[in-house]
Amino acid sequence: MNIVNIEHIGKIYGDKMIFEDASFGIQEGDKIGIVGINGTGKTTLLRMVRGEENPDEGQIIRQSGKKLAYLSQNPEYMPGQTVEEYAMDGNPDTDWKVQSILNQLGILDYSMKMGDLSGGQRRRAAMAKALAGDFDLLLLDEPTNHLDEDMIQWLEGYLQELKGTVLMVTHDRYFLDKVTNRILEISHGKLYSYDANYSGFLELRAEREEMELATERKRQSVLRMELEWARRGCRARSTKQRARLNRLEALKNSQTPVTDQVVELDSVSARMGRKTIELHQVTKSYNGRVLVKEWDYIFLKNQRLGIVGPNGCGKSTLLKMIAGEVAPDMGSIETGDTVKIGYFAQEEQEMDDKKRVIDYVKDIAEYIQTSEGRIRASAMLERFLFTPDMQYAPIGKLSGGEKRRLYLLGVLCREINVLILDEPGNNLDIPTLTILEDFLNSFTGIIITVSHDRYFLDNVADRIFAFEGDGKLVQYEGGYTDYLEAKERKISSIGEGEGNTGLNRQSKSQEKEASVKTWKQNRPQKLKFSYKEQKEFETIDEVIAELEQKIEKLDEEILQNATNSAKLSEIMKKKEQAEKELEEKMERWIYLNELQEKILHLTK
């Protein structure tokens, strides 16, 4: 049974069509995720469902008596208001729920001023207020923004158990996968519904787009036939002939499938010399609390580093120290002469709302260097989905996500070789995040990112540093999922050690075996290659190339023996073995190259 019906709505902002004859129904018990590029109207749709805005055409019908709760992107509070005054209303029936959720979210002092809280803490206070309310439909606008990993996992579990109906906008793809049972896509003013989580949505959308393309191919084929018939000079003397001409006209006038434009990220990195960024015994405290303690680290060329930890632990402060915006209390940070840093901060940037979009970019560079050569600022803006009309409009007319995208463009317009990203997922849409991930994987330089977007870290990072209390940063190899697995193994081994003291000898044997398997994580610093490693380093590129050629030939054999099941099975086994060998060699290649970089740093 639908509790909200969206019927043939239309909405225009300025010259931009947001919705055109769009319809959708929200059923009781649905947990719906809204996706689409920035500026398509995701937040606008939430506001219209809430009744805060009205469509220009059509109607939104809400079932009588149904109550709504709403979590906005930027919670509003009165100056000087405390957490208690903001989140509680003096009603014992609801205040105990607020207190319970605040406690679970780590906010224990209700007398704290809202204005003194961090962005993550304010977000949690607003969430407690929304979740504790009496509602049938919960509207969430970017609920995971500013939340750390533990809080995101808590919210996932809470929403999974929730019996009510949820309509949310979020860029967190793992979150969408775990919580939603329906995805609502906004594209070119239309609403497309998919009965699936995010992974299922990707498959179903691909099927929809393929069907649309197949229909278009068929239309083009019929159109060519009808045009050929018309060129023969057939006269419209009969009803049948006139019908064919009418059909030809209809085919010519029918709409072709509209595909979403995507951001094109491209820039040229500046050359980097031998010296990168070196941190020596760096320590930083804030209000008597140690955030970073005696941290030593040398960044390797082309390294992709992810930094994780709870809200307020010092992640953003660490990035600001690396970027040179904040000085450490003790220790030193040395930056190579050729290092050029681009810093994409978490905080909303001060932008002159009266300034034109194109002038924002021209103030940085009239021409931007890309792999294809120099291009004008206007052409770069078009790659970032800013149409000519938008370029000459004031910045104040942009949505929050569009402003964030413009800020990202401003960072990438400069020739940089170190890119520092602080919560890049905040207010960036999923398509832009996907393109950004592809760009980062081809970026020639160092990437350092703080992110609570687990999907993003899995795609970008090859090493994780986790804040684990008292200013200590612990290193883990791989992406976010690898970090979680390693952390679970560490916790498990500690528990087993405490509970099985009589098996110390066996535990030590197991630890030794585990240390061999995880040589990459636990390898000691070396000052030079061994003779065997030197030989391996000199030949490993050729070995990898030979394995890649072998796999290509096996792929050709698979095609040639598609009907021979016995032969096909034999070839598939050979291919699996070759791919396994290639994966092992690639891991070894990473280790040897990182070791070579460290040797160069130590011997320069």
Side-chain angles (χ1 to χ4, degrees):
M1 182 178 182
N2 285 359
I3 61 174
V4 177
N5 281 318
I6 299 166
E7 298 180 352
H8 307 288
I9 63 169
K11 187 74 175 178
I12 297 176
Y13 276 123
D15 297 328
K16 187 175 182 181
M17 175 70 74
I18 304 295
F19 295 106
E20 182 180 14
D21 194 28
S23 299
F24 179 67
I26 301 174
Q27 297 177 4
E28 198 164 359
D30 275 345
K31 289 174 183 173
I32 304 168
I34 305 173
V35 300
I37 64 172
N38 285 337
T40 53
K42 299 187 296 293
T43 296
T44 300
L45 182 62
L46 286 184
R47 291 162 65 91
M48 287 195 292
V49 169
R50 188 186 180 205
E52 194 174 336
E53 285 192 37
N54 294 315
D56 298 331
E57 298 175 355
Q59 59 182 344
I60 297 178
I61 303 171
R62 304 167 194 84
Q63 192 180 114
S64 178
K66 296 297 182 182
K67 299 176 183 177
L68 278 66
Y70 180 52
L71 175 68
S72 68
Q73 282 193 43
N74 300 301
E76 296 181 357
Y77 52 91
M78 299 295 291
Q81 200 169 28
T82 65
V83 171
E84 182 175 7
E85 291 167 342
Y86 167 78
M88 304 180 202
D89 57 11
N91 182 351
D93 292 335
T94 56
D95 282 356
W96 74 268
K97 293 180 184 178
V98 177
Q99 291 175 7
S100 175
I101 295 173
L102 284 172
N103 292 344
Q104 292 178 70
L105 293 174
I107 297 179
L108 307 177
D109 184 358
Y110 311 145
S111 64
M112 292 188 297
K113 297 279 178 54
M114 289 291 291
D116 294 337
L117 301 181
S118 68
Q121 289 172 322
R122 280 197 295 271
R123 193 72 169 159
R124 283 181 265 170
M127 190 171 295
K129 181 177 182 178
L131 296 180
D134 181 17
F135 59 83
D136 301 290
L137 173 60
L138 177 63
L139 307 177
L140 303 172
D141 196 355
E142 296 291 2
T144 63
N145 275 6
H146 305 294
L147 294 186
D148 58 41
E149 296 84 0
D150 290 340
M151 293 300 99
I152 291 172
Q153 290 177 18
W154 177 88
L155 183 59
E156 281 176 357
Y158 188 94
L159 293 179
Q160 285 170 346
E161 297 296 324
L162 185 69
K163 301 300 182 185
T165 307
V166 182
L167 181 66
M168 74 179 84
V169 173
T170 179
H171 65 269
D172 191 319
R173 289 155 284 184
Y174 281 159
F175 190 84
L176 284 170
D177 245 1
K178 292 183 178 180
V179 174
T180 63
N181 58 17
R182 290 180 76 186
I183 297 292
L184 181 64
E185 180 189 19
I186 304 177
S187 178
H188 301 282
K190 303 296 183 185
L191 298 175
Y192 298 93
S193 176
Y194 305 85
D195 289 329
N197 61 6
Y198 183 75
S199 297
F201 150 72
L202 292 177
E203 296 177 10
L204 292 172
R205 183 181 63 177
E207 290 176 10
R208 174 179 69 80
E209 290 175 346
E210 181 57 38
M211 287 175 63
E212 288 178 348
L213 290 173
T215 301
E216 173 60 14
R217 287 193 293 269
K218 183 177 179 181
R219 187 185 76 89
Q220 291 289 347
S221 178
V222 174
L223 182 58
R224 283 193 296 271
M225 288 170 44
E226 296 292 330
L227 284 170
E228 184 61 31
W229 174 84
R231 288 194 190 101
R232 296 197 199 111
C234 299
R235 297 176 183 174
R237 291 178 177 174
S238 69
T239 302
K240 185 175 182 181
Q241 289 170 327
R242 282 197 297 273
R244 288 197 71 168
L245 287 173
N246 290 337
R247 183 170 65 173
L248 172 60
E249 196 64 28
L251 284 168
K252 287 165 66 177
N253 293 332
S254 61
Q255 290 185 345
T256 59
V258 183
T259 56
D260 285 324
Q261 288 181 288
V262 294
V263 176
E264 295 179 49
L265 296 184
D266 186 18
S267 67
V268 174
S269 304
R271 185 191 68 82
M272 184 183 290
R274 178 172 291 182
K275 187 171 184 177
T276 59
I277 301 174
E278 301 180 3
L279 286 79
H280 302 290
Q281 293 289 293
V282 168
T283 297
K284 184 70 178 178
S285 300
Y286 182 73
N287 286 343
R289 186 165 64 92
V290 177
L291 301 178
V292 181
K293 184 177 181 181
E294 298 177 355
W295 193 40
D296 284 292
Y297 195 72
I298 297 174
F299 289 92
L300 303 177
K301 288 183 182 179
N302 301 326
Q303 187 167 55
R304 280 87 172 99
L305 198 72
I307 300 173
V308 301
N311 288 135
C313 67
K315 301 186 297 296
S316 293
T317 301
L318 177 59
L319 291 191
K320 289 175 181 177
M321 287 194 290
I322 296 170
E325 295 196 356
V326 172
D329 296 337
M330 291 188 290
S332 63
I333 299 176
E334 299 176 13
T335 303
D337 293 335
T338 59
V339 169
K340 295 184 179 179
I341 295 174
Y343 178 40
F344 186 63
Q346 179 181 170
E347 296 85 5
E348 292 295 329
Q349 296 304 294
E350 289 291 334
M351 290 183 175
D352 184 354
D353 284 348
K354 296 179 181 178
K355 180 182 283 188
R356 297 183 307 178
V357 171
I358 193 165
D359 292 331
Y360 176 85
V361 178
K362 282 184 175 180
D363 286 348
I364 299 168
E366 184 80 32
Y367 290 89
I368 294 96
Q369 190 69 34
T370 73
S371 59
E372 301 168 2
R374 297 175 75 212
I375 66 171
R376 287 182 175 274
S378 58
M380 196 67 176
L381 277 163
E382 286 196 34
R383 291 186 174 195
F384 269 63
L385 307 188
F386 292 101
T387 63
D389 289 341
M390 294 173 71
Q391 292 179 27
Y392 288 91
I395 291 174
K397 286 196 172 183
L398 300 180
S399 69
E402 288 167 337
K403 286 182 179 178
R404 188 79 170 156
R405 195 195 308 149
L406 180 62
Y407 172 39
L408 176 63
L409 170 58
V411 173
L412 298 181
C413 275
R414 300 171 171 86
E415 289 189 24
I416 57 177
N417 47 35
V418 176
L419 183 55
I420 298 176
L421 304 167
D422 193 355
E423 292 293 358
N426 285 359
N427 289 332
L428 283 184
D429 55 61
I430 291 174
T432 301
L433 274 175
T434 303
I435 301 299
L436 177 59
E437 288 161 1
D438 289 339
F439 168 79
L440 295 179
N441 286 325
S442 63
F443 177 75
T444 306
I446 297 170
I447 297 167
I448 309 165
T449 182
V450 164
S451 180
H452 295 133
D453 189 330
R454 300 155 293 176
Y455 196 104
F456 181 83
L457 287 175
D458 270 342
N459 280 347
V460 171
D462 57 23
R463 177 172 293 168
I464 299 288
F465 270 99
F467 279 81
E468 296 192 355
D470 298 323
K472 183 181 179 183
L473 284 118
V474 180
Q475 178 178 316
Y476 297 87
E477 296 302 321
Y480 185 82
T481 301
D482 298 313
Y483 149 71
L484 278 185
E485 291 174 353
K487 192 175 177 182
E488 287 173 6
R489 287 197 299 271
K490 184 190 292 187
I491 293 170
S492 177
S493 65
I494 292 172
E496 289 175 4
E498 292 174 351
N500 298 283
T501 54
L503 301 174
N504 284 340
R505 187 174 299 175
Q506 183 180 348
S507 297
K508 287 179 181 178
S509 174
Q510 290 172 345
E511 286 173 13
K512 185 176 181 181
E513 184 180 348
S515 68
V516 172
K517 291 180 181 178
T518 57
W519 58 271
K520 186 176 177 183
Q521 288 176 227
N522 300 298
R523 63 180 182 273
Q525 294 286 342
K526 297 183 180 181
L527 297 179
K528 64 179 181 178
F529 280 131
S530 67
Y531 176 80
K532 183 179 178 182
E533 285 173 334
Q534 184 65 47
K535 288 293 184 184
E536 186 180 8
F537 180 70
E538 292 169 358
T539 61
I540 194 165
D541 286 324
E542 295 175 9
V543 173
I544 288 172
E546 289 172 2
L547 284 168
E548 288 174 337
Q549 290 174 359
K550 182 178 179 180
I551 291 169
E552 286 180 10
K553 288 180 181 178
L554 289 169
D555 282 332
E556 292 173 4
E557 289 183 33
I558 288 170
L559 292 174
Q560 293 167 3
N561 294 274
T563 57
N564 187 338
S565 58
K567 184 69 174 175
L568 189 62
S569 176
E570 180 185 341
I571 298 170
M572 290 295 289
K573 288 180 182 177
K574 289 181 180 178
K575 184 185 175 185
E576 287 176 10
Q577 181 62 32
E579 287 176 336
K580 183 179 178 182
E581 291 177 20
L582 178 61
E583 186 178 350
E584 291 172 354
K585 290 297 179 186
M586 290 299 293
E587 285 288 325
R588 191 65 177 166
W589 182 90
I590 292 170
Y591 164 62
L592 292 170
N593 277 271
E594 287 183 353
L595 182 54
Q596 173 74 351
E597 291 285 350
K598 289 182 179 180
I599 291 169
L600 290 174
H601 279 297
L602 292 171
T603 58
K604 67 179 184 296

